[in-house]
Amino acid sequence: MTERSILRRIRGTDTSDGAGVKLKRIIGQPGLDMVDPFLLLDEFRSDQAGDYLAGFPEHPHRGFETVTYMLAGHMQHGDNHGNRGDLGPGSVQWMTAGRGILHSEMPQQENGLMWGFQLWVNLPAKDKMTEPRYQDIGPERIPVAHPSDGVEVKVIAGELFGATGPVAGVVTAPVYLDIAVQPGAQVEIPLPEGHSAFAYVFDGSDAQVAGDVLRRSELAVLSKGDSVRVAGRDAAARVLLVAGKPLGESVARYGPFVMNTPEQIHEAIADFRAGKF
């Protein structure tokens, strides 16, 4: 196997979104615009209600997919098609916005820890105007693999060690893994060779990724290859490992719209204002 290495590393920047939710933006910031096909990665984590209570009131999306992975807390989503759902700890929602949807995500708690991720995944030009759809996945549907002593892998998307993630029918053939490693434990994770990939340490002080130390809140963009090694160091850690097939297409984005040309962005804005979503 050809092991991947770290091409570059970057730390998240503190910002806010929605109605003032405080979060850490890792992909989609000036230092790292995108990792094709991934357009944005946010981590939201706070036990201060004022940091998240305002939530994300109704807002539009077109041309890409949003992936919400909850680690703690409860968030309710709803849309203008009548869909409703509650995302609790360990839940995942993979939403394909396609041609357009009006969507909201609002906290269902007034105190306690709210913690999770939102990832934006681009859609190819031929699929940008597809019908919107949801994949709402409870924690009981996410398989857990134990490939070696002291290693636990939640397989949200992709196939790994005999486990198949519940996310299906996504054109970028994603791999989305939550990897927990105990001190001194290690695992070699196979990845499709042509996929773009990144790793992000989100719990514990650090972990060893691709032969290098990656610290908490630090993201590593990985080189090409068909595997990556993840190991624990002095304390337990958790690592988000995500990979997807790059699209190699032009990207035009404006807020919640991601298309291929500026003209398509203007069309999206006009359609939104005309109530066509």
Side-chain angles (χ1 to χ4, degrees):
M1 301 181 91
T2 305
E3 286 196 31
R4 294 180 182 236
S5 59
I6 295 178
L7 289 177
R8 61 177 301 196
R9 58 180 71 214
I10 192 162
R11 299 189 69 82
T13 60
D14 293 329
T15 186
S16 64
D17 211 333
V21 177
K22 292 185 179 180
L23 49 83
K24 194 176 293 291
R25 180 149 296 161
I26 309 115
I27 299 174
Q29 54 152 308
L32 185 62
D33 181 55
M34 65 180 293
V35 181
D36 187 14
F38 305 113
L39 303 158
L40 176 143
L41 177 66
D42 286 341
E43 180 183 12
F44 49 92
R45 180 179 184 175
S46 180
D47 57 7
Q48 302 298 309
D51 290 347
Y52 60 75
L53 269 183
F56 301 89
E58 189 173 79
H59 55 281
H61 288 305
R62 174 180 278 185
F64 63 102
E65 300 179 290
T66 69
V67 185
T68 305
Y69 178 31
M70 294 294 293
L71 299 171
H74 288 268
M75 189 88 76
Q76 184 184 79
H77 73 82
D79 68 27
N80 62 328
H81 294 253
N83 296 301
R84 291 287 182 274
D86 184 37
L87 289 173
S91 297
V92 174
Q93 181 198 74
W94 200 292
M95 183 184 79
T96 304
R99 63 177 178 78
I101 199 166
L102 300 180
H103 186 235
S104 66
E105 297 145 302
M106 299 301 293
Q108 297 301 292
Q109 63 190 61
E110 295 183 359
N111 52 62
L113 179 63
M114 179 76 75
W115 187 17
F117 294 98
Q118 184 161 103
L119 176 71
W120 288 12
V121 186
N122 203 6
L123 284 169
K126 66 182 181 62
D127 294 318
K128 283 192 175 292
M129 298 296 283
T130 192
E131 284 295 311
R133 69 165 182 151
Y134 286 100
Q135 296 184 65
D136 283 317
I137 298 160
E140 73 284 352
R141 292 181 52 201
I142 298 173
V144 179
H146 297 88
S148 59
D149 289 342
V151 177
E152 180 180 281
V153 183
K154 294 180 181 179
V155 184
I156 294 164
E159 295 183 23
L160 188 76
F161 306 124
T164 300
V167 172
V170 178
V171 68
T172 50
V175 177
Y176 193 122
L177 309 173
D178 175 351
I179 305 168
V181 287
Q182 296 301 313
Q186 64 175 329
V187 61
E188 189 167 8
I189 305 288
L191 291 173
E193 187 170 12
H195 277 31
S196 301
F198 66 82
Y200 180 72
V201 178
F202 67 92
D203 203 11
S205 58
D206 56 44
Q208 191 172 55
V209 176
D212 235 328
V213 177
L214 198 64
R215 304 200 178 280
R216 168 76 177 91
S217 301
E218 196 172 29
L219 179 140
V221 180
L222 302 175
S223 69
K224 299 299 182 185
D226 55 14
S227 72
V228 61
R229 189 172 295 276
V230 177
R233 285 173 37 84
D234 297 333
R238 286 171 76 182
V239 179
L240 200 67
L241 180 62
V242 179
K245 183 167 61 179
L247 300 179
E249 297 180 349
S250 60
V251 174
R253 66 167 94 177
Y254 179 78
F257 307 128
V258 183
M259 303 301 289
N260 298 101
T261 67
E263 292 76 18
Q264 291 170 336
I265 292 292
H266 296 320
E267 182 182 8
I269 295 170
D271 286 349
F272 167 59
R273 289 175 174 168
K276 295 181 179 179
F277 277 29

